[in-house]
Amino acid sequence: QVQLVESGGGLVQAGGSLRLSCAASGSSSNINVMGWYRQAPGKQRELVAVMSSGGTTTYADSVKGRFTISRDNAKNTVYLQMNSLKPEDTAIYYCNFKRIMLPPTTYWGQGTQVTVSS
């Protein structure tokens, strides 16, 4: 019952920056965790960064210091500012929404491609 729409992906050179956005619509809860996962071909999907509605953040070690997650709870929108991009950041980035209140439910966006050239 939650729809997630991502935007902001694209092609950049190593060292460049991108900003991803994800807007949630439909029925939702005030208590949730939103954020980003990514998946490269042949690899499993991995957590990039997530942020709870209370402001708690979790980052993958590989992106700490380079990526910053933020959210606007009033707009049900989460952002990912990606700086100092590396070729190994190339992947499809998926927005994720997890409802904490019962019943716990997870929703996924359609994904947006991020490609970093060397």
Side-chain angles (χ1 to χ4, degrees):
Q1 296 180 348
V2 174
Q3 296 81 48
L4 305 173
V5 179
E6 303 111 323
S7 63
L11 173 64
V12 298
Q13 290 187 297
S17 298
L18 285 173
R19 191 189 193 207
L20 306 182
S21 299
C22 174
S25 62
S27 60
S28 61
S29 172
N30 290 332
I31 303 175
N32 59 68
V33 178
M34 293 185 68
W36 300 90
Y37 292 70
R38 67 187 181 188
Q39 187 169 24
K43 300 183 66 177
Q44 66 180 10
R45 187 169 53 195
E46 65 177 353
L47 182 147
V48 178
V50 297
M51 189 173 189
S52 75
S53 50
T56 301
T57 60
T58 300
Y59 291 92
D61 288 341
S62 60
V63 307
K64 280 188 174 180
R66 300 188 297 120
F67 293 7
T68 302
I69 189 169
S70 61
R71 58 185 289 169
D72 184 336
N73 289 338
K75 297 180 179 179
N76 284 335
T77 300
V78 64
Y79 308 91
L80 185 67
Q81 179 67 46
M82 304 185 293
N83 298 327
S84 301
L85 283 162
K86 305 175 180 179
E88 49 263 47
D89 295 318
T90 296
I92 300 175
Y93 284 68
Y94 295 92
C95 183
N96 175 269
F97 179 105
K98 182 165 71 176
R99 183 174 66 195
I100 302 303
M101 297 184 67
L102 296 175
T105 309
T106 299
Y107 301 90
W108 294 96
Q110 80 285 351
T112 184
Q113 178 71 46
V114 171
T115 302
V116 184
S117 64
S118 60

